[in-house]
Amino acid sequence: MKYVVCVPDGCADEPVPELDGRTPLEAASMPTLGALARRGEVGRAAVIPAGMAPGSDVGNMSILGYDPARYHTGRAPIEAAGRGVRLGPGEVAYRCNLVTVGGDGTMADFAGGHPSTEEAAEVVAALQAELGSDEVRFHPGVQYRHLLVVPSTWADADCVPPHDLSGRAAVWPTGPAAPALRALMEASRSVVSRFGLAANQVWLWGQGHQPQLPAFRDRHGLEAGLTTAVDLIRGLGALTGIEVVEVEGATGWYDTDYEGKRDACLTTLAGGADLFVIHVEATDEAGHAGDLDEKVRALEHWDRRILGPLVEGLADLGPWRLLLLPDHPTPVALRTHTLDPVPWLLVDSEHDGPGGTYSEAGTAGSPPVPGHELMGRLTARR
Ligand SMILES: [Zn+2]
């Protein structure tokens, strides 16, 4: 048996007036998805446990079968794992954004004007040289997204993600570790401002110690791979022993290489893996941009460039089961993630299910199941 998990990040949405009250999932032309839903089973999943923030870190941890309420320690340590940064037992990782805070104290830009990765690497090197030490280590990442590793005595603080502060008064960290964090953030201004970029300081958030996730292989007895363009998902792979298969044309953007991801799945399964996860970020980016056309287009790319040929290719590999769901909704009207349950689809090549419609309305009547239970449901039939 081969297993495939398809994750169109943030694809669930809400009815949109421009689509005559339909959602992007309902409006997109997706003949293969429609046919799979008619022969499979659909339902709703609570991918974000009660009381947790609807981040991709939480939702994707659920999809991989790990209860975030039990295993999630923070976003930054997952990204650190994705970048190959190991945390010692007495250390925590923080996300370290390059941001622009206005003279009036507002969070003018959580992305610091989108510096290039090369520009940002110089800033981060200067931060390490002037403010870092053996115990306080800045690690460069991509564009405005970087990491800071510090002793775990710095862990106890409430930090607001900078993208939740856009255009509003910047709410600085509070709690026992806040003075140390605040001192470092304030000291970063003289370093960051020197570079003539829009960014003028760092913002620390998303902290956590190294999460202890049991290996996917040990839990399910299956060899798994995944492909993604996002460090967070790479990190979940690194932490669970799921092999991360890099696809050269994977961008995390609308122009990503859908065929490359599909072929990575088929090739990895043909090479002996039992299960493969295809993650595509484009639907989430379109939601954040409020771009309805791109969201619909990304879903149609999923259908035509991944699902159709994937189902044909899987037939050559024997019996298969497929699970499809997003990690949270990213409604285009709200341009941010929500806590609502998301629709899921499970298809078995040999056993037809009750059938249904894969959409928000098509699954609205089913009671939500915990998202982390679906992996067990997918792999229950061998
Ligand atoms: Zn997401």
Side-chain angles (χ1 to χ4, degrees), residues 9-10 55-57 60 279 281 284 327-328 330 337:
D9 198 297
S56 293
D57 47 343
N60 282 291
H279 173 266
E281 183 76 354
D284 181 63
D327 52 337
H328 51 72
T330 311
H337 305 172

Short mmCIF file of all heavy atoms in Angstrom, two decimals, residues 9-10 55-57 60 279 281 284 327-328 330 337, ligand 1:
data_model
loop_
_atom_site.label_atom_id
_atom_site.label_comp_id
_atom_site.label_asym_id
_atom_site.label_seq_id
_atom_site.Cartn_x
_atom_site.Cartn_y
_atom_site.Cartn_z
N ASP A 9 -1.68 24.45 1.49
CA ASP A 9 -1.60 25.26 2.72
C ASP A 9 -2.65 26.37 2.72
O ASP A 9 -2.74 27.15 1.78
CB ASP A 9 -0.19 25.87 2.82
CG ASP A 9 0.13 26.34 4.23
OD1 ASP A 9 -0.56 27.25 4.73
OD2 ASP A 9 1.08 25.80 4.84
N GLY A 10 -3.46 26.41 3.77
CA GLY A 10 -4.42 27.51 3.93
C GLY A 10 -5.52 27.56 2.89
O GLY A 10 -6.13 28.62 2.69
N GLY A 55 -1.39 28.64 13.51
CA GLY A 55 -0.19 28.75 12.68
C GLY A 55 0.03 27.51 11.85
O GLY A 55 -0.48 26.42 12.16
N SER A 56 0.86 27.65 10.80
CA SER A 56 1.20 26.50 9.96
C SER A 56 2.00 25.48 10.76
O SER A 56 1.97 24.28 10.45
CB SER A 56 2.02 26.95 8.75
OG SER A 56 1.23 27.74 7.90
N ASP A 57 2.74 25.93 11.76
CA ASP A 57 3.51 25.00 12.60
C ASP A 57 2.57 24.05 13.34
O ASP A 57 2.79 22.84 13.37
CB ASP A 57 4.40 25.77 13.60
CG ASP A 57 3.66 26.90 14.31
OD1 ASP A 57 2.59 27.32 13.85
OD2 ASP A 57 4.18 27.37 15.35
N ASN A 60 0.30 21.85 10.56
CA ASN A 60 1.04 20.78 9.88
C ASN A 60 1.52 19.70 10.84
O ASN A 60 1.67 18.54 10.45
CB ASN A 60 2.19 21.37 9.07
CG ASN A 60 1.71 21.98 7.77
OD1 ASN A 60 1.28 21.28 6.87
ND2 ASN A 60 1.73 23.30 7.69
N HIS A 279 3.46 19.30 0.09
CA HIS A 279 3.03 20.57 0.68
C HIS A 279 3.25 21.68 -0.33
O HIS A 279 4.34 21.81 -0.89
CB HIS A 279 3.82 20.86 1.96
CG HIS A 279 3.55 22.23 2.52
ND1 HIS A 279 4.32 23.32 2.23
CD2 HIS A 279 2.58 22.67 3.36
CE1 HIS A 279 3.84 24.38 2.87
NE2 HIS A 279 2.79 24.02 3.56
N GLU A 281 2.64 25.92 -0.76
CA GLU A 281 2.36 27.12 0.01
C GLU A 281 1.48 28.14 -0.74
O GLU A 281 0.90 29.04 -0.12
CB GLU A 281 3.72 27.76 0.37
CG GLU A 281 3.68 29.00 1.23
CD GLU A 281 3.40 28.71 2.70
OE1 GLU A 281 3.12 27.55 3.06
OE2 GLU A 281 3.44 29.67 3.48
N ASP A 284 -1.88 29.55 0.51
CA ASP A 284 -1.77 30.38 1.72
C ASP A 284 -1.27 31.78 1.37
O ASP A 284 -1.80 32.78 1.87
CB ASP A 284 -0.81 29.69 2.70
CG ASP A 284 -0.66 30.48 3.99
OD1 ASP A 284 -1.67 30.64 4.70
OD2 ASP A 284 0.46 30.95 4.28
N ASP A 327 -3.78 22.98 6.47
CA ASP A 327 -3.34 23.08 7.88
C ASP A 327 -4.13 24.12 8.66
O ASP A 327 -3.97 24.22 9.89
CB ASP A 327 -1.84 23.40 7.92
CG ASP A 327 -1.48 24.60 7.06
OD1 ASP A 327 -2.23 24.93 6.11
OD2 ASP A 327 -0.45 25.22 7.34
N HIS A 328 -4.94 24.91 7.99
CA HIS A 328 -5.80 25.94 8.59
C HIS A 328 -6.44 26.66 7.42
O HIS A 328 -5.93 26.57 6.30
CB HIS A 328 -4.98 26.96 9.43
CG HIS A 328 -3.82 27.51 8.66
ND1 HIS A 328 -3.98 28.41 7.63
CD2 HIS A 328 -2.51 27.22 8.69
CE1 HIS A 328 -2.80 28.67 7.10
NE2 HIS A 328 -1.88 27.95 7.70
N THR A 330 -7.03 30.16 5.32
CA THR A 330 -6.49 31.52 5.17
C THR A 330 -7.45 32.28 4.27
O THR A 330 -7.21 32.43 3.06
CB THR A 330 -5.08 31.52 4.54
OG1 THR A 330 -4.25 30.57 5.23
CG2 THR A 330 -4.42 32.90 4.66
N HIS A 337 -4.82 33.66 9.04
CA HIS A 337 -5.32 32.33 9.37
C HIS A 337 -6.50 32.41 10.33
O HIS A 337 -6.57 33.33 11.13
CB HIS A 337 -4.22 31.49 10.04
CG HIS A 337 -2.95 31.40 9.25
ND1 HIS A 337 -1.80 30.84 9.74
CD2 HIS A 337 -2.64 31.79 7.99
CE1 HIS A 337 -0.85 30.89 8.84
NE2 HIS A 337 -1.32 31.47 7.77
ZN ZN B 1 -0.19 27.27 6.75
#
